[in-house]
Amino acid sequence: MARPSPRAAGETAIPLRFGDDALLWASWLYHEEGMTQGDIAAEMGVSRASVNTYLAEARARGLVTIEIEPRQFRALSLAEALRKRFDLEDCLVVPTNGGERSLNARLGAAGAQALARYARPGDTLAVTWGRTILALVEALRVAPLGDVRVVQATGGTTAKIPWTPEACASRLAEALGGRCIPLSAPAIVSSAAMRDMLFAEPVLAEQMAVLSEANRILFGISSLRPESTIHTSGFLDGPERHDYEQVAIGSIAGRFISASGERVPGPLDGRTIGIDLAALRAVPQRIAVAGGSDKVPAILGALRGGFVSVLVTDTQTGWGILTADGWSEPPRRAAPSPPTSAPIGRTHTKKLLNDPRAAVDEALEGALAAHGDTIALVPGTPRAVRAVHGPRPGKVGVVIGGGSGHEPAFWGYVGPGLADAAVVGNLFAAPPPGPILAGTRAINGGAGVLYVFGNFSGDVMNFEMAAEELASDGIETRSVVTIDDIASAPAEAVGSRRGVAGNVFVFKIAGAAADRMMPLDACEAVTRRAAARTFSMGVALEPGTMPETRRPSFSLGPADMEIGVGVHGEPGVAREPLASADAVADLLVDRLFAEMRLEAGARIAVLVNSLGGTPAMELYVVHRRVAQRLAARRVEVVGAWVGPYYTSLDMAGVSLSFLHCDDELLDLLRHPCRSAAMTVVR
C-alpha cells in the first residue's frame, strides 16, 4: 500500500528536487541548516503545517537522532542513480541550497558524517587538501580511534592558503586521535632530477612507503577555473597552465585528468611529489567530497576514470553529472503504449542553412550587409568587425568577442557608444588570437584597448596571448572577464562563474566609458565594477540544436525544464517539472535576490533574454512577473530590455539578468549608443 502523503488537502505537489524524500529534506534543513519551519515551507513549496508533520514523522521513524542518519540519505533517488550509474560503493547527496552556510561547509559536514561511518582503528588514511577537505575536518566529531595514521597524499603547497596539505593532514589526525605522517617536500619541485634526489632521501622514502599502505583516501576534486584549488595552491603558475588546460578538465591530488578520466600528461609529471593516479585508483576505499556546478566536468571525469568509490556531493551537482553523462530519469510508472497508427516523431530540427560548415561566415556576411551603416569587416580576417566611425585618436578602444551561436552577440554591440570591434570564433568556440590582433590594431586610437569577454578558458587564453603580442608592439591592453552566471559556481567561487547574457550590460558600460574619453585605468575600473554587479540565471524548455547534426545538444523530457543552463549548449544544474511563466520568473528572481540581497530603494537594470527559441510574447509574460516582484520589494527598475540579446542558437528558454546600478553605472547605462542590437537615445 502506498504511504499516505502528509500534505494538506489541495496542496500542490512538492518540487521534483525533493522527490519522495520530503522527510529527509525537511529534517536536514531544520536540524543541520537551522532554518525555521516557515522558511522550509517556502523552500519546499508546502505549508508550514506539512513541515511540522514531516519533522514529527521523521522523529517517530528514527530518521533523526542527534544528526540525520546518513544511511537514510543513500535511499534518495538521486544518490541511488549516481551509485548505480558509476558502480559506487556509496553515495551521499545533500541539499545545494538552504541556510546561511556555504556549499563547501555543507559538503564538509556531509563528508564528515561519511568519514565517521567508515573510519576504523588501524586505518592508514591518505588525505589531499582544499577548501572542502578543511571544512570536513572542522566538522568532524568522532571518538578517538586507535592506531590511525593520517598521511599527506601530496607534498606541501604555498602557505598563502589555509587549506594546505599540511594543515588538512595534521588537523584530521588530531580530530581522529591519530598520528600525522607528512611528506617532507614540496608538491612541485624545480626539476625531475631534484624529485629523484628527494625520493632517495630516507625520510621521504619512509613517508612515501606509508602513503603506499593507505587503505582509504579522502580527496577533493578541483576544476581548472581561476579560483579553483589547483590554481590558488600555486600548482599552475607559469606556462605549464596552457599545457594542461588544452585537454584537462580537472585535477585530483595535483594530477590532471581528461573528460574521460584519463591521465593528462604534462611538464609537471616528473616534478610532482605525491600519490599518482594509478596508486590512487588502487586504494581500496576512495572517498571524494566535491560539489558546485563548475566542477561537474571534473567530477564526471573522476567517476569515469574509476577514481571514486564513495561520492559526497550536492543535488545540483549530482543532477548535472547524470545529465552530462547522458542519463535519463526512468519513468515513475509505465507509460501507456502509443497507438500503432501514431506518426513517427521528428528526430532532427529543420534549419534554414546552406552548408552548415559555412554558417558562421555566411551569417556574419549577412550581418555586414544589413548593418553596413555601423559595422565593417576588418581587412585580412573574416571573423572580426569594427565600427564604421573610428578609430578616434586618444579614445580607449573596446574589443569584445567569443564564440558564434549567440547572435546578435558579438557584432550586434559594435557602434557609437558601444564596442569598437568584435571578434567571433567557431560555434561556441573562442576566437583565435589572429582575429583578436587584427581587430585590436584596426581600432587602436593610441590610448590603450580594453578587452571584455566571458569567463571561458579558451577565450581567456586567446585574449591573453593576443595581449602579450600587442605589448611588444607598444599597445597597452586590459581585460575584464564577465562572471554573471550564478548557476555555474557558488558564491564563494564567484571568479569561476561563466559570462552569459549579462555581458550585454558590461559591454554597454565599457562602451559608454570609452566614448566619454575616460582613460584606460578608469574604463577598466568601471567596467570591472559593472561585471561584479551583474547577475544572471537561465532556464531552458528545449535544448538548442547544432547546425551540422540538427540534433539537440542534450536530452530533455516533454514535461521537464532545465535549470541553470549555459549558453554553449550545456545542460543545467538541475531538472524540474515544466512550470508556468510566473513560477519560472519566481525561481529566477528568488535566486537572484538571494545572491544580490537587494534592499528597498536599490536601482537595477533588467534584461529578460530569449535563449533563441522563445517568442516575444512569452518573454513579456515573464517580464510582467519580474516587474511585479521588483515592485513588491520596492526596487527601482531604471531600464528594461526584453528580447533576443544573447542567444544559444535555437534553445527555447529565458535568462534573467540584473545590473545593480550605482550613480556612475546608471549614468553610463543611459549614455547614448547605436548598434544593430542596442540603441539608447538620451
Side-chain angles (χ1 to χ4, degrees), residues 329-352:
E329 186 176 13
R332 294 181 178 271
R333 58 178 66 121
S337 300
T340 56
S341 60
I344 299 174
R346 284 189 297 159
T347 59
H348 293 71
T349 301
K350 299 175 182 177
K351 298 281 188 182
L352 278 175

Side-chain angles (χ1 to χ4, degrees), residues 386-417:
R386 62 171 179 84
V388 168
H389 303 290
R392 192 192 318 170
K395 173 187 174 297
V396 170
V398 177
V399 178
I400 62 176
S404 299
H406 308 302
E407 288 75 13
F410 294 88
W411 49 261
Y413 300 100
V414 173

Side-chain angles (χ1 to χ4, degrees), residues 300-444:
L300 179 55
L303 291 166
R304 287 170 171 170
F307 299 112
V308 181
S309 62
V310 176
L311 176 64
V312 179
T313 191
D314 63 287
T315 50
Q316 286 189 357
T317 304
W319 284 120
I321 291 167
L322 288 171
T323 302
D325 199 49
W327 178 86
S328 297
E329 186 176 13
R332 294 181 178 271
R333 58 178 66 121
S337 300
T340 56
S341 60
I344 299 174
R346 284 189 297 159
T347 59
H348 293 71
T349 301
K350 299 175 182 177
K351 298 281 188 182
L352 278 175
L353 296 173
N354 299 310
D355 181 353
R357 294 168 297 182
V360 172
D361 292 326
E362 290 184 351
L364 190 55
E365 184 180 345
L368 288 162
H371 306 290
D373 59 332
T374 54
I375 58 175
L377 193 66
V378 171
T381 175
R383 296 290 181 87
V385 302
R386 62 171 179 84
V388 168
H389 303 290
R392 192 192 318 170
K395 173 187 174 297
V396 170
V398 177
V399 178
I400 62 176
S404 299
H406 308 302
E407 288 75 13
F410 294 88
W411 49 261
Y413 300 100
V414 173
L418 282 164
D420 298 287
V423 291
V424 296
N426 289 328
L427 194 65
F428 300 152
I436 301 173
L437 290 166
T440 304
R441 290 175 173 135
I443 57 88
N444 177 34

Side-chain angles (χ1 to χ4, degrees), residues 29-67:
L29 295 175
Y30 186 80
H31 293 283
E32 283 288 325
E33 303 299 340
M35 293 176 66
T36 67
Q37 293 185 23
D39 289 339
I40 296 169
E43 177 75 13
M44 296 182 67
V46 298
S47 68
R48 183 169 179 171
S50 292
V51 173
N52 188 39
T53 303
Y54 294 152
L55 296 175
E57 187 172 351
R59 289 191 296 271
R61 294 186 182 187
L63 300 184
V64 177
T65 53
I66 297 176
E67 63 184 18

Side-chain angles (χ1 to χ4, degrees), residues 292-305:
S293 54
D294 62 308
K295 293 187 179 182
V296 166
I299 299 172
L300 179 55
L303 291 166
R304 287 170 171 170

